[in-house]
Amino acid sequence: MALLTLGFFGARLAPSSGGAFNAMSLTNPAASRVRYVETAPNGRVQIVLDETRQRTITGALDDQNIRALLLSAAKDPADPGLRVETVDILNSRAQAADVRGALLFALRHDQNAGVRLKALEGLKAFATQPEVRTALAEVLLNDENPGLRTQAIDLLTADSVQGLDRQIVGTLQELMRTESILLLLRAATFAARVGGD
């Protein structure tokens, strides 16, 4: 409120000119957001703007500031293209716990199948870790994209019996009751192989 008041009175005390738009440099109105409007007694209109300015930051992926911005961009709800590119960049640092957490979040919650697919690619090397296996089981049971579900089965069963645990067996059994015929056949084939061992 103090800033609005200061802006209001500053505009009143400043000499007005016909070139107000030039003074405000409104070359790109889309980068400005109207925050407050008011009619002045002399019939003129005063508008308070929030203006967005772009700047470029360059740095290494290991730089904490760069990484923090990338982790934030990976969750940007407005731009799936940005999320895909960001997750693709983060995949090379998936060994870091914070990056792996962002990939797991994207795999579980992102609305865009392309983003989830990129996140899955980054997590492939960590498919034996419990939190990743849990996320893969969730994908297997809940994701509506058949390509992602197929890849989840492949990753969960890649280590055959050594990587098999009760949770995965339960997931496969539930899948056999609820999933499409293609995934059902893959799960049945794997279950028969495990039963033989």
Side-chain angles (χ1 to χ4, degrees):
M1 291 301 292
L3 288 174
L4 289 175
T5 303
L6 184 62
F8 176 76
F9 286 109
R12 283 192 158 212
L13 296 175
S16 60
S17 67
F21 282 108
N22 292 334
M24 289 190 297
S25 300
L26 288 178
T27 56
N28 184 9
S32 301
R33 180 171 178 245
V34 175
R35 176 62 70 185
Y36 179 78
V37 295
E38 183 178 31
T39 305
N42 62 0
R44 297 176 66 84
V45 177
Q46 293 185 346
I47 302 173
V48 177
L49 298 174
D50 284 340
E51 292 189 325
T52 304
R53 294 193 178 116
Q54 290 186 350
R55 65 180 176 137
T56 302
I57 299 174
T58 304
L61 276 173
D62 295 325
D63 181 314
Q64 289 301 318
N65 293 327
I66 295 294
R67 184 177 291 187
L69 289 169
L70 288 172
L71 293 174
S72 174
K75 297 180 181 179
D76 183 340
D79 191 345
L82 174 65
R83 294 195 310 272
V84 168
E85 291 297 323
T86 304
V87 167
D88 192 31
I89 291 170
L90 289 173
N91 281 348
S92 65
R93 294 293 189 272
Q95 66 274 16
D98 57 344
V99 172
R100 203 161 51 253
L103 297 178
L104 286 167
F105 180 87
L107 181 62
R108 286 178 163 138
H109 303 292
D110 202 287
Q111 297 299 310
N112 186 283
V115 176
R116 296 195 307 274
L117 186 59
K118 283 289 182 189
L120 185 61
E121 288 174 13
L123 293 167
K124 282 181 180 179
F126 306 94
T128 58
Q129 294 188 357
E131 67 273 12
V132 176
R133 292 180 76 76
T134 299
L136 290 172
E138 290 175 16
V139 167
L140 186 58
L141 292 174
N142 302 320
D143 200 293
E144 55 193 36
N145 185 289
L148 279 161
R149 292 194 308 266
T150 300
Q151 287 197 35
I153 284 182
D154 291 342
L155 290 173
L156 287 170
T157 60
D159 293 334
S160 188
V161 181
Q162 290 91 359
L164 197 64
D165 57 31
R166 289 178 185 238
Q167 178 189 7
I168 301 309
V169 170
T171 300
L172 291 173
Q173 288 172 343
E174 184 174 342
L175 177 69
M176 290 175 69
R177 288 191 295 270
T178 61
E179 198 44 86
S180 68
I181 190 67
L182 175 62
L183 292 175
L184 188 98
L185 289 173
R186 293 188 108 181
T189 302
F190 179 75
R193 193 176 72 201
V194 170
D197 293 332

